[in-house]
Amino acid sequence: MKLKRIYMTGIAMCSCLLGHAQEARVEQSVWGIQAGLLSVWGYNESRLADAVALRSEAGLVSSFLYSNSSIFGSTCRYAVAPELAVEPRWYYNLAKRQVRGRRTAHNSANYFSLRTSFNPKWLLVSDPDTRPANGLTVSPMWGIRRHYGTHFSLEAGLGAAYRHIFGEKGGVWSRDKFVLRAHFCIGYTF
């Protein structure tokens, strides 16, 4: 009788361990929308490996610049343009979050990524002095994504970005620059 009880306890413990030993992995496909400060994107994340997802985005981004100088006077520039982006993401702490009993639904974890975005020169709205140009940006990023409830998410990220603006007529005014990239978005997952 005592041996049977020990045997049953052992089976129960093993089944509990096996139930929690499932490998943490990104979801097969996640669709949603996100909004940041004056910008909005639609996105899809598709699983490439257990901890790697490929994120594809299409959206509208806006920029605003105001400067006031005693020499040049004040300037106000703004633009709203489309953006297409592809971003492989490595969610490096999915397993750790799952072991600790934290949420991993909808790829809720920390990540490293390499975001590549293209801005075509179709400006939708801009000030008269802004010239449209094609731009390509590559950004290594670190970010954090958390889901609340069934559909809502918060995401924040920080990284460096290399931006190349393609010029007209053989690159007369093409230019390269390095910038700091930061984002904070509120999202809805379908």
Side-chain angles (χ1 to χ4, degrees), residues 7-148:
Y7 180 70
M8 294 303 280
T9 304
I11 288 177
M13 290 175 64
C14 286
S15 65
C16 288
L17 289 175
L18 290 174
H20 292 292
Q22 292 178 4
E23 199 169 320
R25 56 190 337 194
V26 296
E27 292 192 17
Q28 186 69 33
S29 182
V30 177
W31 290 88
I33 56 173
Q34 282 186 325
L37 186 63
L38 303 174
S39 300
V40 65
W41 300 270
Y43 69 89
N44 171 260
E45 283 190 20
S46 300
R47 180 174 56 215
L48 297 178
D50 286 345
V52 179
L54 181 65
R55 182 179 176 106
S56 309
E57 291 182 355
L60 295 174
V61 295
S62 46
S63 59
F64 180 77
L65 170 73
Y66 177 77
S67 64
N68 191 359
S69 168
S70 60
I71 298 170
F72 299 109
S74 65
T75 26
C76 180
R77 294 207 168 168
Y78 58 91
V80 177
E83 179 179 66
L84 304 171
V86 175
E87 179 179 12
R89 287 185 172 185
W90 172 47
Y91 289 96
Y92 63 88
N93 73 335
L94 278 170
K96 183 178 177 181
R97 287 182 60 79
Q98 187 179 38
V99 166
R100 292 184 177 181
R102 296 197 179 135
R103 244 183 111 133
T104 59
H106 306 295
N107 303 340
S108 186
N110 299 358
Y111 63 87
F112 287 112
S113 71
L114 183 63
R115 180 183 172 85
T116 304
S117 60
F118 176 70
N119 298 91
K121 68 179 187 177
W122 330 308
L123 287 177
L124 301 176
V125 178
S126 70
D127 63 280
D129 295 328
T130 301
R131 295 189 296 188
N134 293 324
L136 182 69
T137 306
V138 178
S139 314
M141 301 279 295
W142 172 84
I144 185 169
R145 180 175 178 175
R146 298 293 183 263
H147 265 76
Y148 300 97

